[in-house]
Amino acid sequence: MNPVVGLDIAKGESQGQAFFDKGRPFGTSFTVLHTREGLEAFHSFLKLIEEQTDQQPMIILESTGHYHLPVTRFLEDNNYLFVVVNPMLSYQAKKASSLRKVKTDAVDAYALCELFYKEDFEQHKTRGVQLLNLRNLTRQHDAITGLYIQIKLQFQAILDQVFPEFRGVFGDLHSAVSLRTLLAFPTSDAVLKAGKTNIAEKIARLCIRRSESWAMTKAEALLAAAERNPFRKAPFHSHLISLEMYVSMLLHYREHLTALEKQMNALANELEEFQIIQSIPGIGEKIAATIISEIGEIDRFNHPKKLVAFAGVDPSVHISGKFTATINRITKRGSSRLRHTLFLAVLCSLRRSGSKKMKAFYERKIAEGKPHKVAMIACVNKLLHWIFALLNRKETFVDLA
């Protein structure tokens, strides 16, 4: 016998169906609550199947973001083997199982069991805690960076309506010194009333690393900006409230991003793969940390083409009858975060201080008549082959002399 249990995962609960063997369903569908009591009841059910078949059942489920984590953690703790299926694969299997248009959790669980007997799946490999922690941190960093950029745009829109000439006073409008100075003197009127001495003292306290003459220069620049500014006071008091709110949010986001970057670097520096990937010219700490955290253990892939498919940069194939497509776009079915990071890595590698090998490969593709985007995808593919080889051999990258 070859028992299997299919689980259609949802938020807080799953719908299950058991098979003793191919074509031999066991009982009807059942519900598994994602609570301690619900998972213990599921454990008893799995023991019952094991007693009746003399074999521990395999569990098959879809990857569903974070909803399946309570179940997979329970299975790992109790030493059960399980398969996590790509949702696109299971969706196609469900569509092909019947001509009728039926969508229920019970039907989905049943279809997962049937899919298990049709395909040759590899059991899920538990990833290392360090890499999972690093992946969580890099994803959190990306999420907060996205929010930070949105707040920047909203902040700039309000600034244009209150103190547009403030731009250019400091080299970086969004630096901590610039934002805190604006928080202290949000309007032209506030700047002109404070005077050069008070402003210089405030800036000197905010940036103790710089000289007093630098603070005085910035105070003079701020006074000149206040004189040029079209508004002496904010047209609406609500704009001042919004400006203060956005400045406070930007300062908080900067602190959070700095803290995340420190934690990411500390964790990544403990990993041998981090130093290996950084040996490729053009790849820095942030990009290297994201790449290794998204790829995970390299032994999950036994061929570089599988790593390419995981990143979703493998070409699609469309052949029907006598028709063969000549334009084959990439599948984009893998990790979008890994794909985006690899594209950035190639851009950095093509810079003047980047990889000579990558530049030569890119120029060769352009000379063959490939468009820029096609050549870039070819470079991403090449980079993945390099990463696969370097991580497997535990060697650093050697560029052209």
Side-chain angles (χ1 to χ4, degrees), residues 27-239:
T28 57
S29 65
F30 56 90
T31 301
V32 178
L33 297 177
H34 298 177
T35 61
R36 186 179 297 275
E37 294 78 8
L39 293 172
E40 286 298 332
F42 182 50
H43 192 194
S44 300
F45 178 76
L46 295 177
K47 288 292 184 184
L48 175 64
I49 295 178
E50 188 173 353
E51 290 173 4
Q52 297 197 24
T53 60
D54 293 326
Q55 188 174 344
Q56 189 183 69
M58 179 73 80
I59 294 86
I60 181 170
L61 59 142
E62 283 182 347
S63 176
T64 53
H66 62 277
Y67 292 151
H68 68 278
L69 293 180
V71 178
T72 55
R73 192 163 299 169
F74 158 78
L75 295 173
E76 289 172 357
D77 291 344
N78 289 278
N79 300 315
Y80 280 102
L81 301 179
F82 60 95
V83 173
V84 179
V85 180
N86 187 301
M88 295 195 70
L89 181 60
S90 59
Y91 174 74
Q92 294 296 333
K94 293 167 191 173
K95 271 182 66 176
S97 62
S98 174
L99 291 175
R100 295 180 62 205
K101 190 174 182 180
V102 179
K103 171 68 178 78
T104 67
D105 292 344
V107 169
D108 291 349
Y110 194 99
L112 282 171
C113 291
E114 292 185 320
L115 178 64
F116 174 78
Y117 294 113
K118 293 177 183 177
E119 302 286 343
D120 184 20
F121 291 109
E122 291 184 7
Q123 70 183 59
H124 179 78
K125 294 180 180 178
T126 304
R127 295 188 58 181
V129 175
Q130 277 186 309
L131 284 171
L132 287 174
N133 278 328
L134 185 59
R135 186 186 69 179
N136 291 337
L137 289 175
T138 56
R139 290 184 176 185
Q140 186 66 22
H141 189 278
D142 285 346
I144 293 180
T145 300
L147 295 173
Y148 182 57
I149 291 170
Q150 290 180 14
I151 298 299
K152 271 185 176 181
L153 296 174
Q154 293 168 356
F155 159 70
Q156 290 170 11
I158 290 294
L159 185 65
D160 288 341
Q161 301 172 67
V162 177
F163 200 164
E165 291 298 322
F166 186 84
R167 296 170 183 268
V169 173
F170 294 90
D172 180 6
L173 174 63
H174 305 99
S175 68
V177 177
S178 173
L179 292 174
R180 293 189 188 280
T181 302
L182 182 61
L183 205 56
F185 311 105
T187 64
S188 294
D189 195 47
V191 171
L192 296 172
K193 285 181 179 178
K196 183 165 66 173
T197 304
N198 290 333
I199 295 172
E201 289 176 355
K202 179 67 176 178
I203 294 175
R205 287 196 300 270
L206 290 174
C207 191
I208 57 176
R209 294 177 298 175
R210 306 299 291 264
S211 65
E212 291 183 3
S213 61
W214 178 85
M216 188 62 71
T217 302
K218 291 301 175 186
E220 291 171 355
L222 185 55
L223 281 166
E227 292 287 355
R228 296 192 307 269
N229 200 56
F231 314 112
R232 285 295 298 270
K233 296 182 179 180
F236 302 100
H237 181 65
S238 58
H239 286 164

